[in-house]
Amino acid sequence: MDKRCLGWCVLACTSAVVAGDADAPGPRTVASVLEEAHGAAAQIIRDAGGQFGIGAFIARQNAELLVPQLAAVGAATEGKWVGDLNDVQQSFLNGTLNAADDMRRSERYPRKKATAMLAQADALLSTLAATYRFPRITDFSPRYVVAPATAASVELVVTGHALDAHGPELNVEGKPCELRDAGAEQLRFHCVLAASAHGHVLAYVPMTLTTYPSQPWWAAMMAWFRPDPAPVHYTLALAVIPSTVGGFDATARVNTGDTGAEASVPLPVGDVAWGGTRDVALPDGAIFVILRGRQADGRVFEDTSSEAPAHPWYATTIDLKARRMVIRARGLDEALAQP
């Protein structure tokens, strides 16, 4: 048994463990199963798109990649019942639905579940003669970038199967990227991102990859008699991260010198860059300080000179004696790895 067949068998066994959830009483059409999977993918795109975290980014992105693959399966199995498929194909079909439905119901969007959606669909497409040469994306990188203040270059790598037929093209917001390297399993592009207009909120930059189904050697000899294959379009939604951890403001309670008199003094702090440090001088006579921080993901925290625990993306030190407050932010990759 070759490695490809062994991989299918292992994945099929994994699919079979959870396939029971997708089986409805009585015979079902393949189209009905695909429709449910498409509905789950649409909900993931909608819900995960509003969440901030690497798991949510990948869940949304993989759900978008899943949509054209479901359409390809539908075209190859038009009019068929689930029972018309062989056992391995049924397992992969049910596994695709279960993986998408599991991801749809998830609250934390684990990366393994997001990967499983594409793995099941990829395996199913590989077993269908009509889609064996269908270009399939299994991953791309980077999945996120920091919002650029000016136009910025990005090297984007796409991996999968049958990707290099007829000169694949990638456009970023309608502008073409330069194809640097093309192989059946990997494409490498040089793209230019425009300056971001969404510096303080999470946004997605739409990128469209256009590929073509590969053809056997004899197809070229019959090109005069056969139309060119229809292009396949994939949407690669690149997450654009706000350029800072978040925004901060502070207030100091100050002893004015008069007996028992105090005053509230606002302290300008502002934004703190990923991996950056903000050092703020405290006013003379400060007896208490409150720092309020709103992270880029919307979470709000409050630190005081008496209690300043570390937060997921930053930590604060407030030293009244030294009249100093320091905010230290995590780097972006480290921050996104936090729960």
Side-chain angles (χ1 to χ4, degrees):
M1 179 180 296
D2 62 30
K3 292 182 178 180
R4 189 177 185 88
C5 291
L6 178 60
W8 286 350
C9 291
V10 171
L11 191 54
C13 291
T14 303
S15 304
V17 172
V18 295
D21 293 342
D23 291 333
R28 301 190 66 186
T29 63
V30 175
S32 68
V33 178
L34 295 175
E35 183 179 2
E36 287 188 39
H38 185 276
Q43 185 172 339
I44 294 166
I45 293 169
R46 182 178 65 251
D47 294 347
Q51 300 295 317
F52 203 116
I54 182 61
F57 302 158
I58 294 177
R60 175 199 162 134
Q61 292 160 339
N62 281 14
E64 288 190 324
L65 297 180
L66 181 63
V67 171
Q69 298 188 358
L70 294 175
V73 174
T77 58
E78 186 176 0
K80 289 188 176 182
W81 298 84
V82 173
D84 294 331
L85 305 181
N86 62 41
D87 290 344
V88 171
Q89 292 168 337
Q90 289 185 44
S91 183
F92 289 147
L93 175 65
N94 288 328
T96 300
L97 172 57
N98 281 308
D101 191 57
D102 194 24
M103 187 84 267
R104 175 187 64 81
R105 292 182 282 106
S106 177
E107 295 181 357
R108 300 183 65 87
Y109 300 108
R111 297 175 65 172
K112 288 184 178 179
K113 290 184 179 181
T115 301
M117 289 193 303
L118 285 185
Q120 296 288 336
D122 175 56
L124 177 57
L125 286 165
S126 297
T127 66
L128 298 169
T131 59
Y132 182 79
R133 293 183 173 85
F134 184 82
R136 308 189 301 279
I137 297 176
T138 56
D139 196 9
F140 69 92
S141 65
R143 293 294 188 125
Y144 58 87
V145 296
V146 174
T150 59
S153 297
V154 174
E155 294 292 328
L156 194 127
V157 178
V158 179
T159 57
H161 308 290
L163 296 174
D164 60 341
H166 293 273
E169 299 175 353
L170 180 66
N171 290 305
V172 179
E173 295 183 303
K175 297 181 179 179
C177 297
E178 178 187 354
L179 179 62
R180 290 286 180 85
D181 186 44
E185 296 185 351
Q186 186 179 92
L187 305 175
R188 186 180 298 272
F189 294 92
H190 174 263
C191 305
V192 177
L193 297 182
S196 176
H198 309 283
H200 296 284
V201 296
L202 172 66
Y204 283 91
V205 171
M207 302 190 295
T208 302
L209 177 69
T210 301
T211 61
Y212 295 84
S214 61
Q215 299 184 75
W217 63 269
W218 49 262
M221 300 179 63
M222 302 186 63
W224 291 101
F225 308 100
R226 296 165 59 91
D228 291 335
V232 177
H233 302 288
Y234 278 98
T235 296
L236 310 182
L238 181 65
V240 179
I241 310 297
S243 56
T244 65
V245 166
F248 298 85
D249 66 83
T251 304
R253 194 163 72 238
V254 178
N255 188 333
T256 64
D258 298 332
T259 304
E262 298 179 358
S264 181
V265 178
L267 304 176
V269 181
D271 294 343
V272 180
W274 298 103
T277 299
R278 179 61 55 87
D279 197 325
V280 180
L282 301 180
D284 291 334
I287 58 176
F288 194 74
V289 174
I290 299 175
L291 174 71
R292 302 170 189 86
R294 177 178 291 277
Q295 292 187 166
D297 63 351
R299 285 183 289 180
V300 177
F301 298 99
E302 184 174 280
D303 294 329
T304 68
S305 48
S306 61
E307 185 176 9
H311 303 299
W313 291 358
Y314 70 93
T316 306
T317 300
I318 303 175
D319 189 336
L320 292 177
K321 290 184 179 180
R323 293 193 298 111
R324 185 169 177 254
M325 177 172 66
V326 180
I327 305 168
R328 295 181 176 85
R330 294 182 185 270
L332 175 57
D333 293 339
E334 182 185 5
L336 291 179
Q338 303 302 308

